[in-house]
Amino acid sequence: MSASPSSEDPPRRRRGRRAGGADTRAGLLAAARAEFAERGFDGATVRRIAERAGVDPAMVNHWFGGKEALFTATLDIPLDPAVIRNEVLPGDPDEIGRRIVRRFLRIWDTAGNGGAMAVLLRSVTTHDVAARMLREFVTRALLRPVVERVAPDRHSERGAMVASQLIGLAMIRYVLRLEPLASAPEDEVVEAIAPTVQRYLTGNLGSTNPDS
Amino acid sequence: MSASPSSEDPPRRRRGRRAGGADTRAGLLAAARAEFAERGFDGATVRRIAERAGVDPAMVNHWFGGKEALFTATLDIPLDPAVIRNEVLPGDPDEIGRRIVRRFLRIWDTAGNGGAMAVLLRSVTTHDVAARMLREFVTRALLRPVVERVAPDRHSERGAMVASQLIGLAMIRYVLRLEPLASAPEDEVVEAIAPTVQRYLTGNLGSTNPDS
């Protein structure tokens, strides 16, 4: 393969080994950003990212734990899909809507009123590459594993519905800052929004197309 | 008052009268864009817009029918609040969620897969002035008149909830184009989303704060 060089690419040494340490980590991050931007989350491979960085693919697992976590690290937001799934999935299935909304709010609130997340959401609406990357990441790493475990049917439709409510909540609360939702306490938002997420995941979507 | 001149301002003639016609209309639109950008939807006044355009304030009503419609015209999207309210409000109050979602989808679909609306939504996330203007417009001209007529209580909270679901739907279906929601038929989307909008408007928000 011939990876096109980018300004973010670290100097490459074919088959060479780095001394390791922060150097390797930074090199992998830069290589990952370039690879994700070029091929999207789905098309990117750990092997190619390692090759771009001039390190062994095992270094990706060593430093980041895998492709998902590496992608999250390039986004620079506090969002580890495995951690989130472990917090959201266990427990009463009828309460998963509540757990999802609460976790979602905490991710944003931790980032300081949206912070890095709001920046990401803005970039998503203006850059097609960012939109594609986030769409694939949210779908494959966050939504699908949850939806497939709890939803009875129509997984991708339910996933998209959940995404529509959550992204709209983020837009209103953190980007447009529409009151009173912008300043509403976490519990109040959870109570109001959770039943929607719960219905999208496990309830009746009332459609003319009962199975897709 | 001393309006700051902008490149979009037409040449002004104090107290002068235009010959009328397309000239006046275009002059009012340019003056309105400058005024809305400077003061937001709420702060802008018809009198000041007319003054900027060098025409009589009655011309605003003559050409546009009022401030709301003038603002809509500056946005260049097919969205007349009065028309929308007249289509959404009459009928069974328990079906208003369905009417709102259907009308919302048609506005976007008419604009050719989001078209101008998607551009507007993108600009909202990146420009604070656009965000403030659209937020005020959506709240005051679209949401509030509907919510105040149908919701039993907590009007601004219910309005913000409805906005969160609708803007999220637009983001997923028209901006991020996440399947299967991006290509789902109108009826299917209405069936799935309408109960959410209905509950936000007239249902139980389940909050610890029963009246606000």
Side-chain angles (χ1 to χ4, degrees):
Chain A
M1 58 143 266
S2 65
S4 63
S6 113
S7 60
E8 286 195 320
D9 271 3
R12 271 176 281 162
R13 294 184 245 158
R14 302 237 164 250
R15 310 256 163 230
R17 290 251 182 103
R18 295 251 174 154
D23 209 32
T24 304
R25 191 177 186 281
L28 278 170
L29 271 178
R33 275 197 196 96
E35 170 83 1
F36 285 128
E38 248 173 53
R39 298 174 191 270
F41 177 75
D42 238 31
T45 70
V46 163
R47 194 182 52 71
R48 219 159 19 216
I49 290 170
E51 199 169 308
R52 276 173 176 240
V55 302
D56 193 276
M59 286 297 106
V60 170
N61 284 322
H62 174 71
W63 282 100
F64 298 95
K67 187 167 102 170
E68 270 180 17
L70 178 54
F71 179 77
T72 310
T74 68
L75 295 178
D76 200 22
I77 49 175
L79 195 72
D80 182 332
V83 169
I84 291 171
R85 290 197 298 265
N86 287 341
E87 284 180 22
V88 158
L89 279 172
D92 183 352
D94 293 337
E95 295 284 319
I96 193 171
R98 195 180 297 263
R99 292 194 296 276
I100 287 173
V101 176
R102 193 174 295 283
R103 197 68 197 83
F104 184 78
L105 291 176
R106 293 212 175 142
I107 289 167
W108 287 77
D109 289 333
T110 303
N113 251 325
M117 296 286 285
V119 170
L120 181 69
L121 190 50
R122 282 165 197 262
S123 77
V124 158
T125 58
T126 46
H127 301 297
D128 284 345
V129 172
R132 196 187 66 192
M133 282 168 66
L134 195 74
R135 184 176 61 217
E136 289 179 7
F137 176 72
V138 166
T139 311
R140 288 166 214 277
L142 287 174
L143 283 175
R144 187 177 294 176
V146 171
V147 175
E148 284 179 351
R149 294 275 282 278
V150 299
D153 55 11
R154 299 167 72 185
H155 293 158
S156 23
E157 199 177 346
R158 291 177 183 277
M161 298 284 178
V162 171
S164 81
Q165 175 60 84
L166 293 182
I167 206 168
L169 174 59
M171 286 286 291
I172 293 293
R173 185 170 163 98
Y174 302 105
V175 177
L176 297 184
R177 303 198 54 68
L178 184 67
E179 295 293 359
L181 204 42
S183 323
E186 182 184 298
D187 281 348
E188 212 170 297
V189 181
V190 170
E191 289 308 309
I193 304 281
T196 298
V197 173
Q198 187 73 42
R199 183 173 72 84
Y200 290 161
L201 274 177
T202 62
N204 175 17
L205 296 188
S207 164
T208 49
N209 172 11
D211 214 316
S212 69
Chain B
M1 62 142 263
S2 64
S4 63
S6 113
S7 60
E8 286 194 318
D9 272 1
R12 271 176 281 163
R13 294 182 245 159
R14 301 235 165 251
R15 308 259 163 228
R17 289 251 183 104
R18 295 253 175 155
D23 209 34
T24 305
R25 191 177 186 280
L28 277 170
L29 270 178
R33 276 197 195 95
E35 171 83 1
F36 285 129
E38 249 173 52
R39 300 176 190 267
F41 177 76
D42 237 31
T45 71
V46 164
R47 194 183 52 73
R48 222 161 15 219
I49 290 170
E51 198 168 309
R52 276 175 176 237
V55 303
D56 192 275
M59 287 295 107
V60 170
N61 284 320
H62 174 72
W63 282 101
F64 298 95
K67 187 167 102 170
E68 271 179 14
L70 178 55
F71 179 78
T72 311
T74 68
L75 295 179
D76 200 21
I77 49 176
L79 195 72
D80 182 331
V83 170
I84 292 171
R85 291 197 299 265
N86 287 341
E87 284 181 21
V88 158
L89 279 172
D92 183 353
D94 293 338
E95 296 283 320
I96 194 170
R98 194 180 299 261
R99 292 195 294 277
I100 287 174
V101 175
R102 193 174 297 279
R103 196 69 195 82
F104 185 79
L105 292 176
R106 292 211 177 145
I107 290 168
W108 286 78
D109 289 332
T110 302
N113 252 327
M117 295 287 284
V119 170
L120 182 69
L121 190 50
R122 282 166 199 262
S123 77
V124 158
T125 59
T126 45
H127 301 297
D128 284 344
V129 171
R132 196 189 66 195
M133 283 168 65
L134 195 74
R135 184 176 61 216
E136 289 179 7
F137 175 72
V138 166
T139 311
R140 288 166 214 279
L142 287 174
L143 283 175
R144 187 177 295 173
V146 171
V147 175
E148 284 179 351
R149 293 274 282 278
V150 299
D153 55 10
R154 299 167 73 184
H155 293 157
S156 23
E157 198 177 346
R158 291 177 183 277
M161 297 285 177
V162 171
S164 81
Q165 176 59 85
L166 292 183
I167 207 169
L169 175 59
M171 287 285 292
I172 292 295
R173 184 169 164 98
Y174 302 104
V175 177
L176 298 183
R177 303 198 54 69
L178 184 67
E179 294 294 358
L181 205 41
S183 324
E186 182 185 298
D187 282 348
E188 212 170 298
V189 181
V190 170
E191 290 308 307
I193 304 281
T196 298
V197 172
Q198 188 71 44
R199 184 174 72 84
Y200 290 161
L201 274 177
T202 62
N204 175 18
L205 297 187
S207 162
T208 49
N209 173 11
D211 213 315
S212 69

